[in-house]
Amino acid sequence: MKTIRIGAGAGYSGDRIEPALELAQKGKIDYLVFECLAERTIAIAQKAKLADPSKGYDALLAERMETVLKVCAEKGIKIITNMGAANPQAGAEKTREIAAAQGLSLKIASVSGDDVLETLKSGDIKITETGQPAASMSNVLVSGNAYLGAAPIVEALEQGADVVITGRVADPALFLAPQIKEFGWAFDDWAHLAKGTAVGHLLECGGQVTGGYFAEPGRKDVPGLGRLGFPIAEVSEDGSFVITKVESAGGHVTTDTCKEQILYEVHDPKSYLTPDVTADFSQITFTQEGPDRVRVEGVTGRERPATLKVSVGYVDGYIGEGQISYAGPGALARAKLALEIVQERLGIIGLKSSELRYDLIGVNAIHRDVLAPQPEPTEVRARVTGRCESMKEAVRIGNEVETLYTNGPAGGGGATKSARQVVAMLSALVPRAAVTPRIQIIEVQS
């Protein structure tokens, strides 16, 4: 029975690059998948594209391609990634430049068509969270990207693409596509598509299934986190699969790491909705077959949803922040006084804000005051944050914190300040007919 090996080269935009190279060199993989596109990331990328039409793809695309492209070409490993973000064509062009510079002959495909911003602005699509028309937010909308499924990636692979660069695609679809292509699964074969989606869901966050975001000293120890390796799925034609990793890499693959990852971002285990299938993880099982080898079974599926989800990015004001540290005897009292001073000062200057927070990092920034009194800390960092309608107002928050250097309690140091525009996310559903994927192939001849 035919088996393929799929490696996860990244779990988010800024992820480590060396584990991907390790997979390409030592993982005996057929496909290397980089999942790098969070919900907010694509909205920020859209803003970058508006400022410069040649930008809008992942900031690390060039470095990743420069690192792995040659070894993947030499070993016949195909690359699939959503690093195209808001501008897959530009990402493909940059990859073409790198391939040409490295003397490679490749077919590079870009997959676009996920941008439905104009549909949101001009149609009657409702925002899921509020029920309000998306068009009523036209003045603050930054992006609207539908989650595409595996089909256009499969088509690109069938056209001979060695590298496929997409925009907004459902994360598991990046991993499902090569399974459909290699095994010839039909697009209504819900049983196999669900199993393939489970593969994608377990791999999509990279090191999370090999022990990253899992370790807890003394309770859940993980070896070699400083050289954490990324996972591999060994998938057979019948949809059965094993999660593993490069033997020499750090981390480990256990039933526990797999159980935690399968629950990640799953609202209803019986109905994990994707563009390709409605997967049912409620009866999933994990069996440790050996060191760093976990067999996954029990996944079922049924018909895909009738609509496609859209991630909607919009400008939600500006956040201003200031921080300053106090240490030594009386640090907590001085930090509290610092916050009281800033609170009074913001009132005096008439700051216009819709929300303000005064935190003592290390004391109450996360748990607030619900915990029992703790021992007196020897160091505390005071933080003030606020949401404003303009950048000008947001900047004033950090400025007032900074003035504590010479106008506040004794011994303040390490003051920082910042202000930024907030791009927040909502969601919507659009008919599948409203989205038309497009594939463009670029050929590079050495």
Side-chain angles (χ1 to χ4, degrees):
M1 184 163 49
K2 184 176 182 180
T3 299
I4 62 171
R5 287 167 64 92
I6 305 171
Y12 79 102
S13 177
D15 216 341
R16 297 173 179 174
I17 296 178
E18 66 268 21
L21 180 60
E22 181 178 52
L23 285 172
Q25 291 175 330
K26 302 178 181 179
K28 300 178 181 178
I29 57 175
D30 302 289
Y31 290 86
L32 181 59
V33 179
F34 293 95
E35 196 294 286
C36 299
L37 195 56
E39 284 72 16
R40 201 180 313 272
T41 309
I42 196 165
I44 295 170
Q46 289 284 14
K47 292 181 63 179
K49 181 182 177 182
L50 288 173
D52 182 348
S54 69
K55 302 299 182 183
Y57 55 84
D58 189 278
L60 287 180
L61 179 144
E63 187 174 352
R64 285 194 172 100
M65 293 300 182
E66 287 167 354
T67 300
V68 305
L69 204 56
K70 189 174 183 64
V71 65
C72 285
E74 291 172 349
K75 291 179 176 287
I77 300 168
K78 293 185 181 293
I79 298 172
I80 301 172
T81 180
N82 54 14
M83 285 192 287
N87 202 345
Q89 292 92 340
E93 176 58 30
K94 172 55 70 173
T95 303
R96 184 203 65 77
E97 292 176 10
I98 295 167
Q102 294 183 349
L104 304 175
S105 296
L106 297 173
K107 282 188 176 181
I108 303 164
S110 62
V111 175
S112 58
D114 55 295
D115 187 345
V116 294
L117 181 58
E118 293 308 313
T119 299
L120 296 180
K121 287 183 174 181
S122 60
D124 58 358
I125 303 299
K126 299 290 194 301
I127 296 296
T128 302
E129 291 83 354
T130 66
Q132 299 299 311
S136 67
M137 301 174 60
S138 292
N139 61 321
V140 294
L141 290 181
V142 175
S143 65
N145 295 85
Y147 287 80
L148 303 182
I153 304 174
V154 175
E155 184 178 340
L157 293 172
E158 289 177 342
Q159 291 184 33
D162 301 293
V163 181
V164 182
I165 299 173
T166 77
R168 178 80 277 167
V169 171
D171 298 349
L174 298 167
F175 301 85
L176 176 60
Q179 299 173 69
I180 296 173
K181 193 268 182 182
E182 295 292 337
F183 302 139
W185 294 343
F187 285 104
D188 60 355
D189 184 348
W190 311 125
H192 281 114
L193 296 184
K195 293 175 183 178
T197 294
V199 170
H201 187 66
L202 286 164
L203 294 190
E204 68 183 50
C205 293
Q208 283 189 193
V209 82
T210 53
Y213 204 65
F214 170 87
E216 191 171 343
R219 294 186 66 246
K220 299 187 296 181
D221 293 312
V222 178
L225 281 171
R227 49 184 181 82
L228 182 69
F230 287 175
I232 300 167
E234 295 178 357
V235 190
S236 296
E237 194 169 355
D238 64 356
S240 61
F241 67 96
V242 170
I243 303 298
T244 184
K245 70 175 185 66
V246 173
E247 184 177 357
S248 60
H252 61 200
V253 179
T254 69
T255 56
D256 285 341
T257 64
C258 291
K259 287 175 184 177
E260 289 200 11
Q261 176 58 25
I262 201 66
L263 293 173
Y264 175 76
E265 290 186 338
V266 172
H267 176 253
D268 181 355
K270 289 187 176 182
S271 297
Y272 181 60
L273 304 177
T274 79
D276 299 297
V277 65
T278 300
D280 185 343
F281 297 157
S282 64
Q283 302 302 311
I284 196 168
T285 63
F286 300 95
T287 304
Q288 195 81 43
E289 288 196 339
D292 300 317
R293 291 185 62 82
V294 173
R295 180 165 295 279
V296 185
E297 298 173 299
V299 178
T300 59
R302 58 188 186 277
E303 188 174 0
R304 68 188 190 182
T307 54
L308 294 176
K309 180 181 176 181
V310 177
S311 63
V312 182
Y314 69 102
V315 176
D316 190 24
Y318 299 81
I319 294 288
E321 178 182 73
Q323 298 185 23
I324 190 168
S325 294
Y326 296 90
L332 180 57
R334 284 180 284 134
K336 287 180 177 178
L337 176 58
L339 294 183
E340 292 171 2
I341 293 170
V342 175
Q343 186 171 16
E344 183 178 359
R345 285 293 307 159
L346 295 180
I348 291 171
I349 67 173
L351 178 78
K352 298 175 183 177
S353 65
S354 59
E355 183 181 358
L356 282 168
R357 278 184 63 112
Y358 300 89
D359 297 320
L360 298 171
I361 298 175
V363 178
N364 65 4
I366 295 177
H367 296 290
R368 309 308 290 163
D369 299 314
V370 300
L371 296 181
Q374 303 296 305
E376 182 81 8
T378 58
E379 57 185 62
V380 183
R381 189 157 179 83
R383 176 178 63 192
V384 181
T385 53
R387 185 188 301 272
C388 305
E389 291 186 1
S390 71
M391 180 66 79
K392 181 179 179 180
E393 286 296 294
V395 166
R396 301 173 81 187
I397 296 171
N399 289 346
E400 287 298 331
V401 173
E402 186 182 55
T403 65
L404 292 168
Y405 266 139
T406 55
N407 299 274
T416 59
K417 60 181 181 179
S418 64
R420 59 184 173 84
Q421 186 182 68
V422 178
V423 177
M425 304 304 299
L426 292 168
S427 59
L429 298 174
V430 297
R432 288 177 178 269
V435 182
T436 305
R438 295 184 295 275
I439 300 167
Q440 182 177 341
I441 301 284
I442 302 173
E443 293 198 43
V444 187
Q445 299 294 332
S446 63

